[in-house]
Amino acid sequence: LESEEFVQRDCPLMLKCFNRLRLKTSDATGFVYNACGSGPVIMSNIFLANALILLAKMDIGCDVEEAEAVCEGKVYGFKPSSLITLIATVTGVLSSFLLPFLGALVDYTKYRHTVGVVSSTTLVVIQAIQIGTVESTWFPMAILQAINGFVYQVVSLCQYSYLPEVQRQVDAKTMTWYTSLFYIVQFGHQALFAVLILGIDLALDLNDVVLGHVNQAANVLITGGYYYLSWHFFTQKEAKNQLKPGDTIYTAGFKQVFRTAKGLYKYYPSTVFLYFVGVLFAESAINSFTTVSITYMNEVVQMSGRNIGILFLIVLVSTIPGSVFGNWLANMTNPLIALEINVVVYIATNFAGFLNITSPEDVMITFLFGVVWGFMLGWFYPLEKLVFSMIIPEGQESELAGFFLYCTQILSWLPPLVFTFMNEADINLSWGGVHLNAYLLAGLICFLFLPKWNICREIAKEENKMKHEVEMG
C-alpha cells in the first residue's frame, strides 16, 4: 500500500482550482504553501514595528508630527527607540532556550503535525489581535510581538522538519528545483505583500498607526489562508527517532544538541564544527540587520512607515541579482571563497552605510544602500546553505539540518541587546549599526581557517565518523 505521504491530496473545501498548483507529493505542496504564508509575516512585522515605536513615543508625549522633533523621555525605563531591539532580544532568548525542547517534540513524538498546526494558528491569532494596536494597547502588543517572533521560529522548525522527507520522496533534479522554488515563493510573496500594503498606503494616505492596522488585517487573511492550505497538505508523521535510555522529552533536545556538537568537535573540528561556529556569529549579525535597521531608519533618518516599507522592498528586489552573482562567483572560484568575499564586502558596506547615513537628509542615500544591502543578502544566504550541504558528512543530513537551524538562532539575541545598551548610553547609533561587523568578522575568521575547498569536500566524502556515536549517545 502507498504511504500517506505519497497520496496526492485534493485541496480542501471549495478550493479545488488550487489542485493545479501542486507539486509531486503532498509534503512538498505543504512546504511551498507554508513558504507563501511566511513571507508576508516577515514584511508585516516591519510595518508593525514602526507603528509600535511611534505609539511608544506618543505615550510619553513626544511630538510625532514634527519630523525633526527630538524625543527625550523614556517609557518603562527605556527609550522608545529601544523597543524593537528589546523585542528581538526577548525573541532570541526564547528561541535559544525553547527550540531544543520543541525540536524534541517534532523528532521524538508523533505530534509534529499538531505542533505545526498549533504554532501556525497561534501566530495568525496574535497577528489578528494586533490589529487593535493603539496608544492604550501598544505595550501588551509589543509583548505579543516578542512571543510571536518565537512562534514564527517554531512554525519554521516544523516546516523544515519535512524537508528531508521531501528530499526522499523525489529525485535529485526535482529536489534542486524545489529548493529554489521554496525561496522564490517566500521572497516573492514577501515582496508582493510589501507592494500591496504600500499601494493601499499611497491610495489612502494613511498614517503609520492605521497603516499598521491595515497591514495586520491583510496579513491575517493572506498568511492564515496559506497556512491552512499548508497544514492540510502536510501529512501526519510518526516519531522520527526513539528516546534513548535515561532521556525524557524535556531533555532529549538539549542532549542531542550537545551530542552533535561534541561529535563534530571530535571528528570534524577543522571543517563542519568550525563552519558552524562561523555560521553562529555571521547569522547573529545578518538576522539582526532588519531589527537594527528599522530602529536606525526610524530614529536617525526619521523615515515614515511608507519609506521604510519602500526601503525593504528595494532590499528584497535586490536579493535577486545578488543571488545570481553569488552563484556565478561560486562557479568561477568555489562556494567557500565566494562566501568569504561576501562577508568582507558586507563588512565594508556596513561601515560605509552606517557612517554615511546620519540624518533625515540622507533618505536617497539610504535607498541606494538598500540596493547594496539587498544584493549582499541575496549573495550570502544561498552560499551559506550551499557550503553547509557540501561539507557535511553523508548520512547526517537530517540531524545536521536541525543543528544548523539552531546555530542560526542561538546568538540572535546578542546584537540587538548590545545595540539597545549603546542606544540607552547615548552612543552614536552609527556605531550601533557598525558593531554588527564584530560578529561578521568573527564568522569570517572561522571561514578563513577552514581547509581548502577541495580538502573540505574530500573529508565530507569519507566514511561518516560520528554517525554511530551520535546515535548511541
Side-chain angles (χ1 to χ4, degrees):
L1 293 175
E2 249 189 331
S3 170
E4 183 190 4
E5 65 187 12
F6 290 99
V7 173
Q8 291 286 342
R9 291 184 172 183
D10 286 331
C11 284
L13 302 176
M14 303 298 292
L15 302 175
K16 302 301 183 183
C17 60
F18 282 88
N19 283 324
R20 296 183 180 181
L21 304 178
R22 296 294 308 276
L23 301 185
K24 288 189 175 181
T25 73
S26 289
D27 287 337
T29 304
F31 199 103
V32 77
Y33 278 125
N34 202 281
C36 290
S38 294
V41 174
I42 299 170
M43 183 54 66
S44 74
N45 289 341
I46 292 171
F47 289 106
L48 181 64
N50 195 65
L52 287 171
I53 293 175
L54 185 70
L55 289 167
K57 290 179 178 179
M58 291 170 60
D59 196 26
I60 56 174
C62 292
D63 184 1
V64 296
E65 299 297 331
E66 176 56 48
E68 309 248 344
V70 178
C71 188
E72 298 284 356
K74 293 191 175 185
V75 58
Y76 296 103
F78 293 93
K79 296 179 179 179
S81 54
S82 294
L83 178 63
I84 304 306
T85 48
L86 283 171
I87 289 173
T89 301
V90 173
T91 294
V93 170
L94 288 173
S95 298
S96 298
F97 283 100
L98 296 180
L99 277 182
F101 165 67
L102 290 159
L105 280 179
V106 168
D107 282 345
Y108 295 105
T109 75
K110 62 180 181 181
Y111 300 116
R112 185 199 317 188
H113 191 273
T114 302
V115 174
V117 170
V118 171
S119 57
S120 297
T121 303
T122 301
L123 186 148
V124 173
V125 168
I126 291 177
Q127 295 284 85
I129 294 171
Q130 289 176 318
I131 296 172
T133 302
V134 293
E135 189 172 351
S136 60
T137 64
W138 72 265
F139 186 66
M141 297 303 182
I143 295 173
L144 285 176
Q145 185 66 1
I147 296 170
N148 225 19
F150 164 69
V151 174
Y152 177 82
Q153 295 300 329
V154 179
V155 175
S156 296
L157 173 70
C158 295
Q159 176 196 17
Y160 278 90
S161 71
Y162 282 87
L163 201 56
E165 279 135 336
V166 174
Q167 188 170 12
R168 177 171 56 81
Q169 293 162 5
V170 300
D171 58 67
K173 183 178 180 181
T174 301
M175 190 62 199
T176 300
W177 159 238
Y178 282 1
T179 302
S180 299
L181 177 65
F182 296 151
Y183 282 103
I184 290 169
V185 297
Q186 180 161 333
F187 282 111
H189 277 73
Q190 193 172 343
L192 288 172
F193 185 82
V195 171
L196 172 65
I197 300 304
L198 289 170
I200 294 173
D201 184 29
L202 289 169
L204 303 179
D205 194 24
L206 305 174
N207 64 50
D208 287 352
V209 175
V210 177
L211 182 63
H213 300 162
V214 172
N215 163 72
Q216 292 302 101
N219 183 246
V220 168
L221 294 174
I222 295 171
T223 294
Y226 276 127
Y227 277 177
Y228 173 74
L229 284 171
S230 73
W231 293 106
H232 169 79
F233 284 110
F234 275 137
T235 56
Q236 300 277 353
K237 303 291 183 184
E238 294 299 320
K240 293 169 66 176
N241 297 297
Q242 299 298 317
L243 287 172
K244 296 175 176 61
D247 284 357
T248 69
I249 196 65
Y250 303 104
T251 61
F254 297 96
K255 288 184 177 180
Q256 183 63 37
V257 168
F258 176 76
R259 281 192 288 261
T260 302
K262 179 182 176 183
L264 290 174
Y265 181 74
K266 181 176 180 180
Y267 294 110
Y268 301 97
S270 64
T271 57
V272 185
F273 180 82
L274 188 59
Y275 180 69
F276 277 165
V277 175
V279 166
L280 185 148
F281 283 106
E283 278 279 358
S284 69
I286 301 294
N287 283 338
S288 301
F289 175 77
T290 299
T291 301
V292 168
S293 295
I294 292 171
T295 302
Y296 191 88
M297 301 313 165
N298 186 288
E299 191 68 11
V300 176
V301 191
Q302 297 178 2
M303 278 184 156
S304 65
R306 179 186 300 172
N307 280 342
I308 290 177
I310 292 172
L311 172 64
F312 279 96
L313 179 59
I314 291 171
V315 170
L316 278 171
V317 172
S318 301
T319 61
I320 298 171
S323 180
V324 172
F325 176 81
N327 181 65
W328 172 82
L329 186 61
N331 289 328
M332 292 295 293
T333 55
N334 65 59
L336 182 58
I337 289 177
L339 181 63
E340 292 165 349
I341 294 173
N342 170 269
V343 178
V344 171
V345 179
Y346 208 128
I347 289 172
T349 301
N350 280 347
F351 271 117
F354 286 112
L355 293 180
N356 281 285
I357 301 171
T358 57
S359 73
E361 286 74 37
D362 296 327
V363 172
M364 296 310 297
I365 298 176
T366 304
F367 289 146
L368 177 61
F369 272 99
V371 174
V372 182
W373 275 313
F375 187 90
M376 301 308 300
L377 290 171
W379 176 357
F380 174 83
Y381 279 118
L383 284 177
E384 177 196 44
K385 291 174 176 60
L386 179 61
V387 172
F388 161 74
S389 68
M390 295 182 73
I391 68 170
I392 61 173
E394 294 182 6
Q396 210 76 30
E397 293 86 358
S398 179
E399 291 84 353
L400 292 183
F403 188 73
F404 177 82
L405 178 64
Y406 186 61
C407 285
T408 65
Q409 297 300 317
I410 192 171
L411 270 188
S412 61
W413 55 271
L414 183 57
L417 180 62
V418 173
F419 186 89
T420 301
F421 284 146
M422 295 175 78
N423 186 35
E424 293 296 319
D426 293 324
I427 296 173
N428 191 312
L429 287 185
S430 290
W431 295 110
V434 166
H435 109 278
L436 296 178
N437 285 343
Y439 313 100
L440 289 171
L441 179 61
L444 176 63
I445 291 170
C446 293
F447 298 152
L448 290 172
F449 274 95
L450 289 167
K452 292 183 178 180
W453 181 245
N454 62 322
I455 297 176
C456 289
R457 294 287 292 133
E458 289 173 4
I459 293 173
K461 292 176 182 178
E462 293 174 357
E463 182 183 358
N464 191 328
K465 301 173 183 177
M466 65 172 281
K467 183 174 176 60
H468 180 69
E469 177 170 309
V470 171
E471 288 177 347
M472 296 302 294

